[in-house]
Amino acid sequence: MAAVAVNGVKLGTTSQAYLESKPVSDTKVLISDLCRQFYNLGWVSGTGGSITIKVHDDSVPKPQQLVIMSPSGVQKERMLPEDMYVLSPNGSVLSSPSPKPYPHKPPKCSDCGPLFMKNVSKRRLISRGKRSRNLNYKAYELCNAGAVIHSHGIESCLVTMINPSSKEFRISHMEMIKGIKGHGYYDELVVPIIENTAYEYELTESLAKAIEAYPKATAVLVRNHGIYIWGDSWISAKTQAECYHYLFDAAIKLNQLGLDWSTPLHGPIHLGSGKQRNISAKAETLDSDNKSEPARRCIVLDIEGTTTPISFVTDVLFPYARDNVGRHLSATYDIEETQDDIKLLRSQVQDDLEKGIVGAVPIPSDDAGKEAVIGALVANVESMIIADRKITALKQLQGHIWRTGFEKNELKGVVFDDVPEALMKWHDLGIKVYIYSSGSRLAQRLLFGYSNYGDLRKYLSGFFDTTVGNKRETRSYAEIAESVGVDRPSEVLFVTDVFQEAVAAKAAGLEVIVSIRPGNGPLPDNHGFKTINTFLEI
């Protein structure tokens, strides 16, 4: 039990004095205020919905902080601070509201309670009342949440009904995506959808599986019901809840207009797109020779030697990063982004030194001074670039250096002449296109955003880099197939110029085509893959 100081006296967080302390009281007031606001938004009408927030107290470690929970079955817009439940970190009730006279119902912990319990097998051994007391612990324990919002907003209900067979909600190229943790405008937001049950506590197992299967998600939709949203603080959870509801509303309205919200340009819905995939996406297509080809829902493209000449990367991008690394580090040394880059590089170099990697030199501590640190960083980065190492620490820094070059018009991305036409064609067919490159996602967005054919990002649904895995490892492609939401890996076509990447993707079940472009390296004899010289052959 954590000990905290109240008026200079050390107390346990379960003591009566602490339960009446200012941090606890402030959190109760906050929830009652939020419930009134959410009622006016239509999220907690009809006594539905729920909010839980951890009591923020700097003197208490987050896992040991108490949880304040709104009660179940009450008029949320009329709740007062004294109507709240106070729960311990393990979900036991420390303080309950007093009953109110008729026509008010007796106070009760929310029926959402067990949805976030971590130990499902143990949950089965306790009473339903006990289960209902443990509302949001799955999110608190698995996601390190500081607050959880359960909304019955009509948008979150209707958006799950447009395609009754869909297990995910996907949307990209909408400004409000930036309000969801870990996402940017060009990213594809994916929210898992689970099926509703008669009682909320029965959702526990399926919701837990969704949280574990979608580690980047901060929400789970429940079909015909609503949504659970969590954040590391109440502000984060509230901000994301507002963004999610906005995006759901936008998707519904786009669908009413006959437009596909899940594609970058939000153009007309195509037969075979995600909204109609149960009708046609499983069907096979015929090529010009009447040969059966597998239906493709997604295409994943490599960059070097596939969309872009290898020479552009080796003769333009790499030299630019090498020549400007010192200038970039000096100009941005004190900003958080660069300090994160330096931290990654320190870790990588330390690992390289332990493994005896040629070219690795020790990086002095900050006490040695800025110039000494930068000098060692430059030496290591130059060595990494010469060795063409596919490591996150290098790729992340290069992306930041290239961003400056693109924004100053010192760099312009280069794609082969057939690429823009192919991207437009695939988009018109309702096929989603993704990029998978060893370069950082930032670098990928820059190349296509500042290309010799203008901004091509509107045709791209998302970007993958080495954070998803090494490009020569099968599990990386299995992860991508899971991420893009196909039923079978064979519905994804991967195009690359590297034989080892083709082998890994094929082993994961993806369809593979090898790109033959000027300047590409030779392929092994009898490699067994279909090849193309231009995307227009696909």
Side-chain angles (χ1 to χ4, degrees):
M1 180 177 67
V4 295
V6 176
N7 296 325
V9 179
K10 280 196 172 184
L11 304 168
T13 54
T14 59
S15 68
Q16 187 61 36
Y18 187 73
L19 295 180
E20 297 173 356
S21 67
K22 189 174 187 300
V24 174
S25 298
D26 287 349
T27 307
K28 290 181 177 181
V29 171
L30 173 61
I31 290 183
S32 62
D33 289 344
L34 290 175
C35 280
R36 281 190 290 274
Q37 179 179 346
F38 293 170
Y39 174 82
N40 291 328
L41 292 172
W43 297 358
V44 294
S45 58
T47 77
S50 178
I51 306 174
T52 66
I53 300 176
K54 280 198 169 186
V55 176
H56 178 71
D57 189 331
D58 291 332
S59 64
V60 181
K62 192 170 184 179
Q64 299 178 36
Q65 291 173 352
L66 303 185
V67 176
I68 310 299
M69 179 188 299
S70 61
S72 175
V74 301
Q75 305 293 321
K76 296 296 192 294
E77 76 279 15
R78 298 179 61 84
M79 286 195 310
L80 300 174
E82 56 263 31
D83 295 327
M84 307 301 163
Y85 281 85
V86 182
L87 308 182
S88 71
N90 65 11
S92 60
V93 175
L94 301 177
S95 174
S96 303
S98 300
K100 294 183 177 182
Y102 180 85
H104 296 283
K105 294 181 178 180
K108 182 181 72 170
C109 259
S110 171
D111 282 334
C112 310
L115 290 179
F116 295 88
M117 280 295 291
K118 186 170 184 178
N119 193 329
V120 175
S121 61
K122 183 177 180 180
R123 175 181 56 79
R124 295 192 181 113
L125 300 177
I126 54 181
S127 69
R128 176 179 170 181
K130 173 66 175 177
R131 289 180 294 193
S132 296
R133 296 205 274 284
N134 294 300
L135 173 64
N136 297 303
Y137 290 92
K138 210 46 150 171
Y140 288 131
E141 294 186 16
L142 292 182
C143 308
N144 194 31
V148 182
I149 296 170
H150 174 41
S151 166
H152 285 190
I154 189 65
E155 308 95 331
S156 61
C157 182
L158 292 179
V159 81
T160 67
M161 302 166 68
I162 295 175
N163 180 2
S165 65
S166 176
K167 301 300 182 184
E168 298 170 333
F169 168 82
R170 291 173 172 267
I171 193 168
S172 68
H173 291 67
M174 294 286 285
E175 180 68 14
M176 293 296 274
I177 292 176
K178 292 161 63 175
I180 307 301
K181 181 180 178 181
H183 290 77
Y185 174 78
Y186 294 103
D187 292 326
E188 184 178 43
L189 174 67
V190 182
V191 184
I193 301 173
I194 62 175
E195 300 303 320
N196 195 27
T197 59
Y199 299 100
E200 285 185 293
Y201 67 84
E202 295 175 343
L203 292 168
T204 304
E205 190 169 347
S206 58
L207 193 139
K209 289 180 179 178
I211 292 176
E212 292 165 356
Y214 294 82
K216 193 177 179 181
T218 56
V220 174
L221 283 160
V222 183
R223 197 181 313 280
N224 306 345
H225 180 147
I227 186 171
Y228 291 87
I229 303 161
W230 55 90
D232 55 14
S233 68
W234 71 267
I235 293 177
S236 172
K238 175 179 176 289
T239 300
Q240 292 183 96
E242 292 166 351
C243 292
Y244 278 119
H245 284 79
Y246 174 97
L247 293 167
F248 299 151
D249 185 48
I252 292 166
K253 290 175 178 175
L254 285 168
N255 187 72
Q256 290 171 335
L257 294 170
L259 302 177
D260 188 348
W261 73 73
S262 67
T263 59
L265 291 182
H266 309 305
I269 294 175
H270 294 277
L271 190 66
S273 70
K275 310 304 166 294
Q276 314 246 352
R277 64 183 57 154
N278 59 320
I279 298 174
S280 65
K282 309 303 180 191
E284 292 190 335
T285 59
L286 295 177
D287 63 15
S288 57
D289 296 324
N290 292 325
K291 295 177 181 178
S292 177
E293 289 189 350
R296 296 172 184 139
R297 281 173 49 193
C298 301
I299 296 177
V300 179
L301 302 173
D302 173 44
I303 291 181
E304 294 178 58
T306 302
T307 67
T308 299
I310 291 177
S311 59
F312 172 72
V313 178
T314 58
D315 299 343
V316 178
L317 289 183
F318 285 177
Y320 184 90
R322 184 185 64 238
D323 296 342
N324 288 277
V325 62
R327 183 179 70 172
H328 173 82
L329 291 173
S330 295
T332 64
Y333 189 81
D334 294 320
I335 70 172
E336 183 178 356
E337 180 181 82
T338 299
Q339 284 299 311
D340 288 342
D341 292 343
I342 293 173
K343 183 179 179 180
L344 268 179
L345 285 166
R346 283 187 182 277
S347 176
Q348 182 63 56
V349 170
Q350 182 60 40
D351 187 59
D352 291 349
L353 290 169
E354 292 174 0
K355 294 179 179 178
I357 301 295
V358 176
V361 298
I363 301 174
S365 67
D366 292 335
D367 296 337
K370 173 180 173 180
E371 297 305 320
V373 173
I374 290 177
L377 288 168
V378 170
N380 280 287
V381 169
E382 289 179 346
S383 177
M384 293 174 181
I385 291 175
I386 292 172
D388 190 20
R389 298 185 64 187
K390 313 293 187 182
I391 48 178
T392 301
L394 172 63
K395 298 302 180 181
Q396 179 171 299
L397 175 62
Q398 284 177 322
H400 295 149
I401 296 171
W402 291 330
R403 179 179 59 199
T404 301
F406 281 110
E407 291 176 348
K408 291 184 175 181
N409 291 320
E410 296 173 354
L411 289 172
K412 183 172 287 292
V414 175
V415 297
F416 290 110
D417 293 339
D418 55 279
V419 171
E421 182 179 349
L423 292 179
M424 287 187 281
K425 180 184 75 172
W426 295 332
H427 176 269
D428 290 343
L429 292 172
I431 299 173
K432 292 185 177 182
V433 181
Y434 298 83
I435 301 298
Y436 180 30
S437 171
S438 57
S440 68
R441 294 163 65 199
L442 170 61
Q444 297 172 34
R445 291 194 293 264
L446 290 169
L447 190 152
F448 289 99
Y450 295 86
S451 84
N452 52 329
Y453 281 91
D455 191 346
L456 299 175
R457 291 173 295 186
K458 57 190 174 185
Y459 301 116
L460 302 173
S461 294
F463 303 86
F464 296 99
D465 60 15
T466 52
T467 57
V468 80
N470 188 289
K471 293 190 70 182
R472 301 189 179 194
E473 295 180 358
T474 298
R475 66 171 179 258
S476 304
Y477 299 91
E479 177 64 26
I480 288 174
E482 287 283 337
S483 299
V484 299
V486 295
D487 294 325
R488 298 187 298 270
S490 59
E491 295 176 77
V492 180
L493 168 63
F494 177 56
V495 186
T496 180
D497 67 307
V498 179
F499 172 71
Q500 293 87 345
E501 294 175 5
V503 171
K506 182 179 180 181
L510 278 65
E511 182 191 1
V512 179
I513 292 177
V514 174
S515 172
I516 307 295
R517 300 285 197 177
N520 286 8
L523 293 170
D525 294 335
N526 302 318
H527 55 76
F529 289 102
K530 178 180 178 180
T531 62
I532 57 167
N533 294 284
T534 168
F535 283 177
L536 302 182
E537 298 176 34
I538 299 177

